[in-house]
Amino acid sequence: MNKSIPVTFLMGISLGIIGSLWIPLNQSQADLEDTRQAVIDLQTEKTQLETLALQRQERINELVVQNTELQSQRAESEAEAQRILDLHDDAATLQAQIDSLREEIRRLEEQRRPLRLSMQSTSIRGFLCTGSMEPKLTCLDTVTWMTDFTPEDIVAGAIVSYESEGCLGLEYNNEYWVAHRVISINESGYETRYLVKGDANTSPDACTINIDEIKGYVIDVQKNTRLQNATLREEVNASREAFVTARDAYVSRGYHVESRYNKAVAAHEHYSCWYNNALNSRYPGHIPNQC
């Protein structure tokens, strides 16, 4: 039997179904809003964390730079500290050397004191203006000679005065002694022989000497105490230099240029005149002849 369903019944059922579905739909919409808000919050938090991470990295970079600078400063400080330690070590070494030198000076002064005080053992003299010991000793200087000595005192390098017939051909006087340096000592024969030379001379003296021919050796020098000899010294040295220049110019051309020969002869004569003045000078400032 076909019975028709009332329309009102069907409508009631539809409304019931729709009503039952409306509650879950509203709940899903709320959950979606919560989820959306959570996503927004997470994105905000992520942005904040990224900002913090960037700030942290920048701070780390600053610390790295500061650490590098500190390490450089530490290395410089360590190098400076080592330099100071080295300076202290050098200062200690130098001080030890100074103390050693002072002791050596004191010892030498003690040895020389009795020589200075013993007037009978020393002699004070000036020099001839021949220029043979230039520039170490000049006729402007005065020296103290030790006249009471033993052979052991005469060593290579000592400046001695000697008197040997035919060796220098100079006449000794109370004002001047000739001073030349001992350059070698020969002990191979039956007596010790000394070879001497003026510092400014090109060759040694013409003969060797023995201990008995030595008058004394230099123990002290007083510089520039005889300035009266300045003119004689300058003339001797200048004429000697002019002669050497003229001689060398003549020799360099093979001994065949007459003009150079004549110039060398004239220069030699002029130098010889002043050299003889040096030999014959008898007191500071004395010039026997004008050349």
Side-chain angles (χ1 to χ4, degrees), residues 107-117 219-220:
R107 185 183 66 80
L108 292 174
E109 288 290 345
E110 288 294 327
Q111 291 180 353
R112 194 172 70 163
R113 184 173 289 110
L115 302 182
R116 283 180 148 178
L117 296 178
I219 61 172
D220 196 20

Side-chain angles (χ1 to χ4, degrees), residues 4 76 134 138 162 166-168 195 220 227 274 279:
S4 59
E76 292 176 357
E134 293 272 357
T138 77
Y162 68 92
C167 189
L168 283 175
L195 182 64
D220 196 20
L227 298 179
W274 280 111
L279 295 182

Side-chain angles (χ1 to χ4, degrees), residues 78-107:
E78 290 177 348
E80 181 65 17
Q82 185 61 48
R83 189 180 70 83
I84 293 174
L85 290 176
D86 293 341
L87 288 176
H88 286 168
D89 292 340
D90 292 343
T93 301
L94 289 174
Q95 187 60 49
Q97 293 176 350
I98 291 172
D99 293 341
S100 177
L101 288 173
R102 284 176 176 169
E103 178 60 26
E104 180 66 14
I105 291 172
R106 185 197 65 78
R107 185 183 66 80

Side-chain angles (χ1 to χ4, degrees), residues 34-282:
D34 290 342
T35 301
R36 183 181 294 110
Q37 186 61 45
V39 170
I40 293 173
D41 293 341
L42 287 174
Q43 289 177 340
T44 301
E45 184 175 358
K46 177 184 177 184
T47 301
Q48 293 175 347
L49 289 175
E50 288 175 347
T51 301
L52 289 174
L54 181 61
Q55 293 175 348
R56 180 182 179 186
Q57 185 61 46
E58 291 176 352
R59 181 56 181 163
I60 290 174
N61 293 339
E62 291 176 358
L63 292 175
V64 168
V65 172
Q66 293 177 0
N67 182 59
T68 302
E69 293 176 351
L70 289 174
Q71 287 180 346
S72 177
Q73 293 174 359
R74 178 181 178 183
E76 292 176 357
S77 298
E78 290 177 348
E80 181 65 17
Q82 185 61 48
R83 189 180 70 83
I84 293 174
L85 290 176
D86 293 341
L87 288 176
H88 286 168
D89 292 340
D90 292 343
T93 301
L94 289 174
Q95 187 60 49
Q97 293 176 350
I98 291 172
D99 293 341
S100 177
L101 288 173
R102 284 176 176 169
E103 178 60 26
E104 180 66 14
I105 291 172
R106 185 197 65 78
R107 185 183 66 80
L108 292 174
E109 288 290 345
E110 288 294 327
Q111 291 180 353
R112 194 172 70 163
R113 184 173 289 110
L115 302 182
R116 283 180 148 178
L117 296 178
S118 177
M119 296 304 295
Q120 295 180 348
S121 300
T122 60
S123 178
I124 298 177
R125 297 285 187 275
F127 294 111
L128 294 173
C129 290
T130 59
S132 63
M133 286 297 291
E134 293 272 357
K136 186 68 175 180
L137 296 175
T138 77
C139 58
L140 306 182
D141 307 328
T142 302
V143 300
T144 301
W145 298 88
M146 180 63 184
T147 57
D148 183 13
F149 53 87
T150 63
E152 290 76 17
D153 295 326
I154 309 301
V155 298
I159 298 174
V160 301
S161 180
Y162 68 92
E163 194 167 15
S164 178
E165 183 176 357
C167 189
L168 283 175
L170 300 178
E171 179 183 350
Y172 287 83
N173 57 64
N174 291 330
E175 182 64 32
Y176 297 117
W177 280 9
V178 173
H180 283 179
R181 192 181 303 277
V182 176
I183 59 174
S184 67
I185 301 174
N186 186 354
E187 299 177 345
S188 60
Y190 64 91
E191 68 173 354
T192 301
R193 304 292 297 183
Y194 303 88
L195 182 64
V196 294
K197 173 183 174 296
D199 288 356
N201 293 342
T202 57
S203 59
D205 295 349
C207 59
T208 59
I209 56 177
N210 60 35
I211 193 67
D212 295 331
E213 294 171 315
I214 296 177
K215 298 166 65 70
Y217 70 93
V218 174
I219 61 172
D220 196 20
V221 180
Q222 299 85 44
K223 300 295 293 182
N224 298 323
T225 54
R226 299 185 178 225
L227 298 179
Q228 305 95 315
N229 284 327
T231 299
L232 179 57
R233 176 187 177 227
E234 290 173 3
E235 292 290 352
V236 171
N237 288 345
S239 61
R240 178 177 183 171
E241 183 177 352
F243 164 62
V244 170
T245 301
R247 181 199 62 192
D248 292 346
Y250 169 60
V251 171
S252 67
R253 296 300 298 269
Y255 303 100
H256 63 275
V257 179
E258 184 176 358
S259 61
R260 291 179 181 267
Y261 170 77
N262 293 334
K263 187 174 182 179
V265 170
H268 180 264
E269 290 176 352
H270 187 66
Y271 169 54
S272 296
C273 178
W274 280 111
Y275 185 81
N276 287 328
N277 274 336
L279 295 182
N280 296 321
S281 179
R282 286 293 177 262

